[in-house]
Amino acid sequence: MNPRDPSQLVRWLYLDMNSFFASVEQEMNPSLRGKPVAVVPLHADTTCCIAVSDEGKAWGVKTGTKVGEAKRLCPQMQFIEGDHGHYMKYHNKIVEAVESCLPIESVCSIDEMACLLTGSQQDLKAAEALAVKVKSTIRARVGASLRCSIGVAPNRYLAKIAGDMKKPDGFTAIRPCDLPQILHQLRLRDLPGIGAKMESRLNQKHIDSLEKLCSMSPKEMSQ
């Protein structure tokens, strides 16, 4: 039997629930399904949306959009005052559903978790089959409105990036042999840890693309 090719293997699976708070509201209230929904801390035009359903995002409303602006962009948006207790209840159900498929190595936030792949799970076909199983188990045990994007990659950071590449309900694999070219299509801000200030600092050093960033040595990056 031929040894497995390390350049083809993935070691982490990262799950990110899509529009989690808004999806929970749609699951609890069927009348909200298929409609633009925004979860807010309180009903006031000056506050911000803390979660927006996929239907709302299609109108240009995002997490952080002021409620007054969201009303302008999407007059039919329905605003729901959030209840963290509901979201924790669904979080716990999702954790149980995922762990029925494979162990969770780390719960990264209320809507994100990472799983370490071992043995034959590191083969891409097996990892993809696990992702399909996780998605279907969440739908069956938690609710059909709850969707997630899943990424698999050689390390947890890259798996998180992969999970962000196809939303909603996506699956993306980054293998060692795909690097770094697969990252070149992304923007600097697509990398977790690069915000507006870091992007500005990179731009000042004439780094304005992932291709340029990936071409740097560790020493250059540290500087």
Side-chain angles (χ1 to χ4, degrees):
M1 183 176 178
N2 294 329
R4 292 183 297 169
D5 182 355
S7 72
Q8 301 289 327
L9 302 181
V10 292
R11 295 189 66 247
W12 285 88
L13 180 150
Y14 199 98
L15 177 150
D16 185 356
M17 300 303 300
N18 303 144
S19 305
F20 181 52
F21 293 174
S23 296
V24 169
E25 297 294 345
Q26 290 176 317
E27 182 61 29
M28 292 193 302
N29 183 352
S31 70
L32 297 176
R33 296 174 192 174
K35 297 179 181 178
V37 174
V39 176
V40 297
L42 52 90
H43 290 288
D45 285 0
T46 53
T47 192
C48 295
C49 301
I50 57 176
V52 182
S53 69
D54 293 325
E55 297 84 0
K57 290 175 180 176
W59 289 82
V61 182
K62 303 176 183 178
T63 299
T65 300
K66 288 285 183 68
V67 170
E69 175 67 5
K71 289 179 178 178
R72 186 188 68 79
L73 291 169
C74 181
Q76 60 267 56
M77 182 77 77
Q78 300 197 44
F79 298 91
I80 308 295
E81 195 167 314
D83 185 330
H84 199 70
H86 293 319
Y87 310 140
M88 280 305 303
K89 176 183 174 182
Y90 274 84
H91 163 80
N92 291 332
K93 288 182 178 181
I94 291 165
V95 168
E96 290 178 4
V98 174
E99 290 217 302
S100 73
C101 303
L102 76 167
I104 295 172
E105 180 75 13
S106 176
V107 174
C108 307
S109 69
I110 195 169
D111 60 350
E112 298 183 22
M113 52 204 73
C115 304
L116 181 63
L117 302 175
T118 60
S120 62
Q121 295 174 342
Q122 296 180 354
D123 293 310
L124 183 55
K125 285 186 178 180
E128 185 170 8
L130 271 174
V132 171
K133 183 179 180 182
V134 166
K135 287 170 179 280
S136 63
T137 302
I138 291 173
R139 285 195 297 270
R141 294 193 182 186
V142 187
S145 302
L146 281 299
R147 297 187 294 175
C148 64
S149 294
I150 293 178
V152 295
N155 62 48
R156 194 168 84 173
Y157 183 75
L158 287 170
K160 177 175 172 61
I161 292 171
D164 286 337
M165 289 173 71
K166 290 180 184 175
K167 288 187 173 183
D169 203 25
F171 172 80
T172 303
I174 296 177
R175 301 166 298 172
C177 62
D178 298 320
L179 295 167
Q181 289 79 12
I182 195 170
L183 301 178
H184 292 173
Q185 62 185 288
L186 304 178
R187 302 167 300 168
L188 290 171
R189 294 281 289 275
D190 290 331
L191 295 190
I194 297 184
K197 291 183 179 179
M198 178 62 75
E199 183 181 39
S200 177
R201 289 174 61 191
L202 289 168
N203 291 164
Q204 290 172 13
K205 299 294 184 182
H206 309 292
I207 302 160
D208 55 8
S209 69
L210 256 295
E211 185 170 2
K212 289 182 181 179
L213 184 67
C214 291
S215 69
M216 299 174 70
S217 69
K219 182 179 179 181
E220 290 171 326
M221 287 192 180
S222 177
Q223 290 173 343

